[in-house]
Amino acid sequence: MQANMLHTQDVNPAVKGSENAASEIVASPTSCQFISFRLGEDEYAIDIMAVREIKGWTDATPLPNQPPHVLGVLNLRGAIVPILDLRSRFGQGLTEATPMHVVIIANVAERTFGILVDAVSDILTVEPEEIKPVPDADRSEGEDYLSGIINADHGMVVVLGLQELFR
């Protein structure tokens, strides 16, 4: 497990070959990167390639007749983006959003969503074999969005499949 590491091509060439290069840990070309975030005491992660940006919470404009986990829409530099309450989507009640909350703007199957979370935690870089499957026990129908578990240094992180989560 390597957190906050850069791919080889991201390393400053001036640093390569220096005394500092020996102490750098470089991820392999097959490594996967995730943005991890917190919902209460739980930590989740999504593929970093889906993340467009991360921004602080601002009030969303509600739309009528939406499911409870759809908080409304934001105008993101001219693009109207639906904002989804991930806690509510997980059946844990609505989030009372404050300026301390964060919205992760993500592209999912040619659509853009904002995901309200408590806080962004880290960037995780892992090898594919470090992503363990979610056990089938106690897994209910419709939870196909749980795509794996990473055993990070600070605890387990559940990897979410955004396409499956917001179909």
Side-chain angles (χ1 to χ4, degrees):
M1 172 82 45
Q2 302 165 351
N4 293 326
M5 295 296 135
L6 301 173
H7 287 284
T8 303
Q9 63 270 21
D10 296 328
V11 176
N12 181 347
V15 175
K16 287 182 179 176
S18 71
E19 294 175 1
N20 294 335
S23 63
E24 291 181 24
I25 299 172
V26 179
S28 77
T30 60
S31 297
C32 305
Q33 287 193 310
F34 299 93
I35 295 283
S36 67
F37 56 89
R38 299 199 70 77
L39 280 181
E41 298 299 317
D42 301 323
E43 189 164 350
Y44 300 92
I46 58 174
D47 186 343
I48 198 169
M49 296 305 290
V51 177
R52 181 173 156 184
E53 67 181 86
I54 299 168
K55 64 186 294 303
W57 167 252
T58 56
D59 288 332
T61 302
L63 298 175
N65 301 319
Q66 297 296 306
H69 67 272
V70 178
L71 298 175
V73 294
L74 288 179
N75 183 345
L76 189 66
R77 294 179 295 282
I80 304 303
V81 177
I83 306 299
L84 310 172
D85 182 347
L86 198 53
R87 178 176 282 117
S88 176
R89 174 67 177 85
F90 288 167
Q92 300 172 353
L94 285 173
T95 301
E96 289 188 35
T98 69
M100 300 301 291
H101 286 86
V102 176
V103 176
I104 300 173
I105 306 295
N107 293 325
V108 181
E110 300 182 22
R111 298 184 303 169
T112 302
F113 291 93
I115 305 165
L116 178 65
V117 301
D118 292 347
V120 171
S121 303
D122 205 350
I123 296 173
L124 302 173
T125 302
V126 298
E127 298 301 318
E129 61 271 10
E130 293 179 272
I131 304 169
K132 304 300 180 196
V134 176
D136 286 336
D138 295 335
R139 200 166 167 193
S140 62
E141 185 97 8
E143 292 182 348
D144 297 338
Y145 56 83
L146 303 175
S147 61
I149 297 175
I150 299 169
N151 192 17
D153 297 336
H154 56 280
M156 288 201 234
V157 179
V158 177
V159 178
L160 303 175
L162 289 178
Q163 284 192 328
E164 294 79 11
L165 185 62
F166 296 116
R167 304 184 202 185

